């Protein structure tokens, strides 16, 4: 079977076109994570490459299975030109390395926090992991390997992240929807969290 990262890159290119930039980040004791940038009109899309090379393992598991377990890559879409969003490359690589470094399983509904602004002057330090399947479809791999899922990331302000911890991901997404929040605006304010 072909290398998983090669298959993932081919899927990203078929869904998003040719990337116009690539950055690589390596953390001590981990495999390299690439972040690809795709420009689509007034949107910039960032996609990780390398997170899915190994399956994510439940930190409570006694032994990591080298083949079985969920695999994913991360996608972030923002409007171009309003902020220096290209500086999100390192934070995205940090998030993509978290399964290897911290033993977390990244799944829809979970929150990921980098502890600093995602890019200069960003009002966001964390993201909500959304449901896959909209922009880039799952990539099936030969059994027993699970498919690679492409998980969209929705930036959250600290207040939104705190509200989500209390009320849940679905409630926050409903609030964004009901208020017409532009989740691709790199400088947006927090959604109203009280009625």
């Amino acid at each position: 079977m072909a290398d998983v990262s090669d298959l993932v890159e081919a899927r990203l290119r078929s869904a998003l076109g040719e990337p116009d930039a690539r950055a690589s980040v390596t953390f001590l004791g981990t495999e390299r994570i690439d972040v690809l940038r795709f420009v689509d009109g007034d949107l910039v899309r960032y996609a990780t490459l390398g997170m899915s090379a190994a399956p994510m393992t439940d930190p409570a598991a006694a032994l990591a299975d080298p083949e079985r377990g969920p695999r994913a890559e991360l996608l972030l879409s923002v409007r171009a030109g309003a902020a220096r969003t290209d500086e999100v490359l390192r934070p995205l690589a940090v998030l993509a390395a978290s399964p290897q470094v911290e033993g977390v399983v990244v799944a829809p509904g979970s929150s990921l926090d980098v502890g600093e602004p995602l890019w200069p002057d960003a009002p966001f330090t964390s993201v909500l992991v959304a449901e896959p399947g909209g922009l880039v479809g799952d990539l099936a791999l030969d059994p027993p390997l699970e498919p690679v899922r492409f998980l969209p990331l929705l930036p959250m302000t600290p207040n939104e992240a705190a509200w989500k911890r209390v009320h849940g991901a679905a409630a926050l997404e409903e609030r964004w929807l009901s208020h017409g929040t532009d989740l691709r605006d790199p400088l947006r304010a927090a959604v109203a969290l009280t009625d």
Side-chain angles (χ1 to χ4, degrees):
M1 184 175 129
D3 179 68
V4 170
S5 292
D6 291 342
L7 296 172
V8 168
E9 184 167 357
R11 172 57 58 93
L12 288 168
R13 287 172 183 268
S14 69
L16 303 175
E18 286 299 310
D20 74 336
R22 174 193 295 255
S24 297
V25 180
T26 304
F27 303 98
L28 187 63
T30 67
E31 297 295 322
R32 184 184 83 209
I33 302 288
D34 289 346
V35 180
L36 307 180
R37 183 181 72 184
F38 301 85
V39 176
D40 179 11
D42 71 335
L43 292 179
V44 180
R45 302 187 194 280
Y46 301 95
T48 63
L49 179 62
M51 180 179 171
S52 61
M56 294 181 275
T57 304
D58 184 335
L63 193 60
D65 189 318
E67 293 187 335
R68 290 178 176 80
R71 293 174 188 260
E73 296 291 351
L74 307 176
L75 297 170
L76 175 69
S77 298
V78 292
R79 297 214 181 284
R84 296 190 343 242
T85 57
D86 280 351
E87 295 190 39
V88 76
L89 301 177
R90 183 168 177 77
L92 268 182
V94 167
L95 297 178
S98 62
Q100 291 180 56
V101 175
E102 299 171 23
V104 299
V105 175
V106 177
S110 59
S111 302
L112 303 172
D113 195 317
V114 295
E116 61 185 35
L118 292 176
W119 50 81
D121 302 320
F124 320 106
T125 60
S126 63
V127 293
L128 174 64
V129 181
E131 290 291 334
L135 190 59
V136 182
D138 291 354
L139 172 64
L141 301 174
D142 293 339
L145 305 184
E146 292 187 26
V148 176
R149 303 172 83 198
F150 297 88
L151 303 172
L153 301 180
L154 307 175
M156 293 188 293
T157 67
N159 286 345
E160 289 170 338
W163 196 87
K164 181 256 177 193
R165 281 192 293 277
V166 173
H167 300 281
L172 178 58
E173 289 184 84
E174 177 57 37
R175 188 159 285 271
W176 281 334
L177 187 61
S178 66
H179 285 79
T181 305
D182 181 1
L183 296 173
R184 294 174 176 168
D185 179 352
L187 298 173
R188 73 170 178 84
V191 69
L193 297 172
T194 55
D195 293 323

